[in-house]
Amino acid sequence: MHTQPTPRRAFRGFTVSGIAAAGIAALLLLTGCTVSAPEPDAEASDSAEVEATGKPPTNAPAAPSASPMPLPTEPPTTPSKPSAPETPATPESPDASAPTQPYVAPARNQAPSATDSATAPAAPSTPPPTHTPKPSPEDSDGESSTIHDDELVLYPTDTGEIAFSYNGTSSGDSFSFVDSEWNSPTLSIAVKGTHDNSTLPASDFAQWTNYFASHTAEASTDEPSELHYAFCGTLAFADFTSESADSASTDSCFGQGSDGLNNNWWGGGADYVDNDGNACFIDPSATNSVGSSLVACLEGTGVSEFEINDGGTSPNYFSLYSPNEAFDVPVDPQQLGDDLLAWLQSNSTMSPAKERILQDAVDALPTDGTITTPTSWEFTCDDYCATSDNSSITSGQVWGGVHTTDTYESEAWKIALNGYPLNNMTLNATAGRDNSAAVASWFDDQVTPSGAMIGAGTGASTTPGDLNFAYCGDLSPQGGSLPASDIPICFGQGHNVGANNWWIGGADWQELEPTTFDAFVGDSPLPGLKHFAGAVGGDTETRVMFDPKSLTAVVTVGEDVANAEAIDGFMFIFGIG
């Protein structure tokens, strides 16, 4: 908003005597104007002189030789000047030491003083030019109609290299896109535009961003009411790939406005969501080399800079180790079934329904030759476990979904397990961490009443009281001789002193009594276990769940909380599939 400058007051001289009038008349004669010395007005002159000097008036000097002509009692007016005061004082002789004062035009809508009327030159026949207001003090860059060179800086702290390409969409007078340049670790976007705040660019921007955006500097709302200009393009993330492109990207819009002191910026897009006041783009389908999902949140960190961060999320790894070699199993269905049933009955209390499931699975095995065990296992879930149907997270936390990776190395893997014939497959859930009973309740609902759950790094606990997040999907065997079957399974992350722990469960699983790892390897009839004796220490406490339909076991290390940090993030999968 422009503020009109305060008009300067017209100069007002002191009252002069008849001598001044004679001098002025002579000057006007030289400039082509004909005037005479004024007729003395005793009352006005006396009053003026007494007021100016405080002494009785003196006789005025003789008039110039020009023909005398009485001055009118009111000064003449012209169409271009307002009327003078009705009774101006008669000019008096000026002080010889006073400097000559320049003419100053009276302010608009302000009557001139008596001195102005007496000393101003004749008004021109055409009106004076229109006054041009000074720039608004709110526009620190000068006159608002000027086209300015502006720069926006994006600083990605968690997403890696980024790029921006303008798509031609803009709003605002005289806007033009110049270029964008990645200069690690920041991306600079250069544009040109005027700094005329108006509602139209703000209205367009609000529609483009679904009425929510991040901002730099200060702002009291989720969207701007006025902007200088706004524009849109594609923001691409070089380190993330998606299902449809080598580089994940999203449409993003930016606008420049003013917070009253500085020109500030707004940013967002139709696919951004509100995360604690910041606009965040979350793409569960996009992943990087370590299996993290793409979470990119715009957070204002300066007058013209946005930091692009992960919204407070962390990579949350849980490794699934399975044999990478196939083991041939001689097929004697009756013997295998008897052995598995005896083992399970000695280590758990199976319901009659699960005993029937086990027997049906054994009866379905081939009756001649051998079978081959799987060489790996996969975990899958719909939409990357990013829907409310297959995941739960504490309110207010960001959930980016789940991916698998073979590049992550847990502490257990680096210390010991990399020396065994195991696949290193890891689940990575991109999520914020804040535990709640609501998530634990959701997890329990996916498991009970007929299923089972076991902990990893949970000590003696048998059920979780609070969880940070939980998700469910399917395990499926790869490379075995039997037809692959999906095994529903769920994972939940909790917390104990010093570390995060994990819970694993499912509706079709049977929990066995806690045992030691060596006891499990030595007693279980599952094939190939002898290859893994001593992998985590023979007397390490072990938890086991068994799926009777797939003849498959998952094994975790319970331990106590003191050792949880090193061992809480993995499980073994042994089975026929």
Side-chain angles (χ1 to χ4, degrees), residues 18-19 42 47 49 80 86 90 118 161 172 212 219 239 261 293 296-297 321 335 348 357 401 407 409 447 497 507 526:
I19 296 175
S47 174
E49 187 166 344
S80 61
E86 292 186 2
T90 302
E161 182 178 346
F212 178 80
D239 291 353
L261 297 175
S293 301
C297 298
Y321 300 127
Q335 185 61 50
S348 68
I357 293 173
T407 61
E409 296 183 348
V447 173
V497 179
L526 292 171

Side-chain angles (χ1 to χ4, degrees), residues 208-269:
W208 299 337
T209 58
N210 283 340
Y211 302 91
F212 178 80
S214 297
H215 56 81
T216 67
E218 294 296 328
S220 58
T221 61
D222 294 337
E223 56 180 294
S225 58
E226 292 184 325
L227 287 176
H228 301 153
Y229 52 76
F231 61 96
C232 298
T234 301
L235 186 63
F237 303 86
D239 291 353
F240 288 80
T241 58
S242 65
E243 292 177 330
S244 58
D246 291 337
S247 178
S249 62
T250 185
D251 291 338
S252 303
C253 301
F254 301 97
Q256 188 193 72
S258 173
D259 66 358
L261 297 175
N262 300 290
N263 293 316
N264 63 350
W265 287 86
W266 296 76

Side-chain angles (χ1 to χ4, degrees), residues 93-228:
S93 175
D95 188 337
S97 63
T100 302
Q101 297 293 337
Y103 170 73
V104 179
R108 191 176 297 175
N109 299 324
Q110 178 181 327
S113 67
T115 307
D116 292 333
S117 301
T119 61
S125 60
T126 58
T130 303
H131 171 72
T132 301
K134 293 182 179 180
S136 166
E138 293 182 2
D139 188 352
S140 60
D141 292 323
E143 194 171 300
S144 60
S145 60
T146 302
I147 295 178
H148 299 272
D149 294 316
D150 295 324
E151 182 182 62
L152 172 64
V153 176
L154 304 181
Y155 176 35
T157 57
D158 301 303
T159 60
E161 182 178 346
I162 58 175
F164 181 82
S165 55
Y166 176 54
N167 65 10
T169 301
S170 67
S171 181
D173 293 337
S174 304
F175 173 82
S176 62
F177 182 83
V178 179
D179 62 21
S180 64
E181 182 180 2
W182 172 255
N183 186 10
S184 183
T186 61
L187 175 73
S188 298
I189 301 175
V191 298
K192 291 178 179 290
T194 60
H195 289 177
D196 298 322
N197 258 349
S198 65
T199 59
L200 179 59
S203 176
D204 290 339
F205 179 82
Q207 295 181 55
W208 299 337
T209 58
N210 283 340
Y211 302 91
F212 178 80
S214 297
H215 56 81
T216 67
E218 294 296 328
S220 58
T221 61
D222 294 337
E223 56 180 294
S225 58
E226 292 184 325
L227 287 176
H228 301 153

